[in-house]
Amino acid sequence: MSYSARKAIFDNFLGNAPHWYKTTIVAFLLINPLILWSLGPVIAGWVLVGQFIFTLAMALKCYPLQPGGLLAFEAVLLGLTSTDTIMYEIQSNLEVLLLLIFMVAGIFFMKNLLLFLFSRILLGIKSKRTLSLMFLLVAAFLSAFLDALTVTAVVISVGVGFYGIYHKVAAGIDYKERDDITTDEEVYEQHRADLSQFRSFLRSLMMHAAIGTALGGVCTLVGEPQNLLIANTANWEFGEFFLRMAPVTIPVLFAGVLVCLFLETTKIMGYGATLPDAVRKVMEDDQAEREAKRTKKDNWNLAMQALVGVWLIIALAFHLSTVGLIGLSVIVLASAFTGVIDEHAIGKSFEEALPFTALLTVFFVIVGVIFDQELFKPIIEYIFTLDRDSQVAAFYLANGALSAISDNVFVATVYVGEIKQAAINGVIDRDAFDLLSVAINTGTNIPSVATPNGQAAFLFLLTSGLAPLIRLSYMRMVIMALPYTIVMTIVGLIAVVYFLKPATATMYEKQLINHHTVEQLKSDGKSKGH
């Protein structure tokens, strides 16, 4: 093969990614079979997990779908997992995938309303500390009753809208005339400093909101997918789930609030940037112009989007259907009553979510490797050798650490299955099962904010179209989350060890709950085919 042919192949491989990155991915693909054959599947599995995390960390160099997908494809060829396991993971997470496909697209049809509301909030609140605290608390409240991915989709949509307005004005372009806001080549020199500060301002708000989704999501049965799994296993209703988690989640929530105020006051770790006066002026002018030119048709569209928003909240709050199907109803209602009937216009609503949906499916392959190679099993077996108090703390920390490097839903699924089997086998009693369930839920939700791959909402933000616009890279997210990670993890650990106590229950109630646990285990075993 000639040099020109080899160069053409290499240039096409992963497109515009840096040459060193392409070479690294090729090296990964070449050494993985050697590691498998020489060191065994367990070591090869851990190496693969590390390589996949690398592709996530380099998301701004190359979208992780392609390099991560190649690693996942190789894992199947090498026998580290199977297509049956992958299909089981996909089926188990179908609601999450439908949520991404339909709910995020539904939010697209409400972006004008969201921009209308958040513009008033952002321009009306002059204090950055107050604004940051509001973003954190609103995201926490919404995530407790809706879901973190939906809330993150809203925040991303708002962030892109704000950024686009000023970026185009800074380039001397009418924001209505051009869609491209990805390059700074046309930005006037005098506007570059303000644009850089504006990016920092938006980054901090996005991170406060992302942390808020974790703070709220851990509190309730519907906040995160693994919460529902744990609640069903333990036979906890909505109120009982909240009360059992409260000794840990409430102190952690207050700790998160204090960290938010501390970061915005000290202006460390990338926080504290304020909205530049020039940007505020542009956004105020844009808001005034929009209001002056708003027609009856525009007002009707905003009103209909508001009504659809009310439907969305009611449907989610009362769990009228799965989140994905509710999102589909939002698409139908919002587009039908705002005049969006062209298939190409509707197609734009799916552009944000579908790449991430594909990436998440690739992630399930990596999860399949972890499952099939039992990479976490030695950790679980060691924890069960400890006394009860040490077990609770160890489960909390182990779930947090493993969630940060893999996925909190998967980690919770594995661990709750292990303690369920241990309870049925008589290794632990019902009280220990309850305490460990709380430790698993809080462990997978709180320390996992350390990395973007720890929570789907964080990964969604990292791989969204907003992240490269505001220069939010993997390592920047890790650094900005670090103060929250340290404080929230420590406060959660203290609460798990000292505040968490077994709930009182009669022997008859415990027998009923244990019976439910046995029946649930049998049902799960049949569905998995095990």
Side-chain angles (χ1 to χ4, degrees):
M1 185 182 295
S2 66
Y3 170 78
S4 60
R6 292 196 303 271
K7 185 177 184 303
I9 293 174
F10 190 75
D11 288 343
N12 283 335
F13 179 66
L14 298 183
N16 295 324
H19 280 205
W20 66 265
Y21 182 87
K22 298 180 181 183
T23 304
T24 302
I25 297 300
V26 171
F28 287 166
L29 296 171
L30 292 176
I31 66 172
N32 285 340
L34 300 178
I35 294 174
L36 174 62
W37 296 328
S38 60
L39 301 178
V42 174
I43 299 299
W46 277 112
V47 170
L48 183 74
V49 171
Q51 292 170 349
F52 187 75
I53 292 174
F54 170 82
T55 66
L56 297 178
M58 295 292 108
L60 296 186
K61 300 296 184 183
C62 178
Y63 192 72
L65 174 62
Q66 291 83 1
L70 290 173
L71 293 171
F73 185 71
E74 183 181 53
V76 176
L77 293 179
L78 293 176
L80 292 174
T81 188
S82 67
T83 54
D84 288 339
T85 301
I86 297 168
M87 283 306 302
Y88 171 73
E89 292 297 331
I90 292 173
Q91 291 167 2
S92 301
N93 291 277
L94 183 59
E95 288 191 20
V96 177
L97 295 176
L98 290 178
L99 182 155
L100 281 169
I101 295 170
F102 293 130
M103 182 60 78
V104 175
I107 296 299
F108 175 87
F109 292 102
M110 300 174 64
K111 64 179 182 180
N112 289 333
L113 175 66
L114 296 172
L115 194 58
F116 174 81
L117 294 175
F118 276 87
S119 293
R120 279 164 168 69
I121 294 173
L122 190 145
L123 296 176
I125 300 177
K126 301 295 179 67
S127 169
K128 177 63 186 309
R129 279 180 295 184
T130 303
L131 186 63
S132 298
L133 185 60
M134 192 209 68
F135 264 69
L136 181 135
L137 291 177
V138 169
F141 177 80
L142 292 176
S143 295
F145 295 98
L146 306 181
D147 66 87
L149 282 170
T150 300
V151 176
T152 304
V154 171
V155 172
I156 289 172
S157 179
V158 170
V160 171
F162 286 156
Y163 180 84
I165 292 171
Y166 181 70
H167 187 277
K168 293 175 187 178
V169 172
I173 299 167
D174 190 323
Y175 64 86
K176 304 181 192 67
E177 294 180 355
R178 183 164 165 263
D179 292 330
D180 185 17
I181 54 175
T182 60
T183 176
D184 290 353
E185 292 180 2
E186 296 176 331
V187 174
Y188 295 140
E189 188 65 34
Q190 64 267 32
H191 293 310
R192 290 182 181 271
D194 285 334
L195 183 59
S196 177
Q197 183 178 338
F198 187 37
R199 284 184 173 126
S200 181
F201 171 81
L202 286 178
R203 278 198 304 270
S204 61
L205 289 184
M206 295 303 108
M207 286 302 299
H208 288 311
I211 296 294
T213 64
L215 290 171
V218 67
C219 293
T220 66
L221 184 149
V222 296
E224 293 281 354
Q226 68 268 27
N227 299 13
L228 187 59
L229 168 72
I230 292 170
N232 287 339
T233 303
N235 197 27
W236 294 340
E237 299 297 334
F238 190 95
E240 183 178 5
F241 183 93
F242 175 81
L243 292 175
R244 286 185 179 274
M245 298 298 159
V248 182
T249 57
I250 299 304
V252 170
L253 176 61
F254 280 108
V257 168
L258 293 177
V259 172
C260 174
L261 295 175
F262 173 78
L263 291 173
E264 289 299 330
T265 300
T266 59
K267 301 183 179 182
I268 62 173
M269 310 297 283
Y271 293 94
T274 57
L275 183 65
D277 292 336
V279 179
R280 180 180 294 276
K281 179 65 166 57
V282 168
M283 296 184 68
E284 288 175 342
D285 292 344
D286 171 73
Q287 183 180 12
E289 182 181 355
R290 285 175 182 267
E291 292 181 354
K293 294 182 176 180
R294 188 172 295 121
T295 63
K296 289 184 178 181
K297 180 180 178 181
D298 295 329
N299 289 331
W300 169 254
N301 284 345
L302 289 176
M304 288 309 303
Q305 290 177 27
L307 290 174
V308 173
V310 172
W311 154 251
L312 172 63
I313 293 172
I314 293 174
L316 289 171
F318 290 95
H319 314 299
L320 300 182
S321 181
T322 61
V323 178
L325 294 182
I326 294 172
L328 179 58
S329 73
V330 169
I331 295 174
V332 173
L333 294 172
S335 60
F337 289 99
T338 57
V340 183
I341 58 173
D342 180 76
E343 62 180 309
H344 299 293
I346 294 174
K348 291 182 179 180
S349 66
F350 292 93
E351 291 178 358
E352 183 70 43
L354 286 183
F356 182 71
T357 305
L359 174 62
L360 195 62
T361 306
V362 168
F363 188 74
F364 294 151
V365 180
I366 309 303
V367 169
V369 172
I370 296 173
F371 182 85
D372 284 344
Q373 302 307 321
E374 299 181 330
L375 299 187
F376 296 167
K377 189 173 182 179
I379 302 172
I380 297 171
E381 291 177 343
Y382 169 75
I383 292 176
F384 275 133
T385 65
L386 305 174
D387 60 79
R388 176 188 288 187
D389 291 339
S390 299
Q391 280 182 5
V392 174
F395 263 94
Y396 172 83
L397 293 174
N399 275 265
L402 294 174
S403 293
I405 64 172
S406 58
D407 170 65
N408 53 6
V409 177
F410 168 73
V411 173
T413 302
V414 172
Y415 272 75
V416 78
E418 292 291 336
I419 67 168
K420 182 167 59 176
Q421 188 63 56
I424 292 171
N425 294 340
V427 177
I428 58 176
D429 59 19
R430 175 65 198 190
D431 287 338
F433 174 84
D434 289 337
L435 294 177
L436 292 179
S437 295
V438 175
I440 290 171
N441 188 69
T442 53
T444 54
N445 278 292
I446 296 171
S448 60
V449 302
T451 66
N453 43 297
Q455 298 204 18
F458 281 47
L459 187 60
F460 186 33
L461 176 60
L462 174 68
T463 57
S464 70
L466 177 63
L469 298 179
I470 61 176
R471 308 299 188 260
L472 185 60
S473 65
Y474 186 100
M475 287 310 301
R476 194 186 290 271
M477 285 188 74
V478 171
I479 292 171
M480 294 184 74
L482 184 61
Y484 280 109
T485 303
I486 294 173
V487 174
M488 289 165 52
T489 300
I490 292 174
V491 171
L493 179 61
I494 293 172
V496 163
V497 173
Y498 294 104
F499 301 158
L500 201 59
K501 304 296 180 185
T504 58
T506 66
M507 183 60 68
Y508 176 68
E509 288 172 334
K510 290 182 179 180
Q511 289 173 349
L512 285 178
I513 295 172
N514 276 324
H515 174 72
H516 170 82
T517 305
V518 173
E519 294 303 316
Q520 185 66 44
L521 178 62
K522 291 179 180 178
S523 174
D524 288 347
K526 290 177 181 178
S527 66
K528 292 180 183 180
H530 293 166

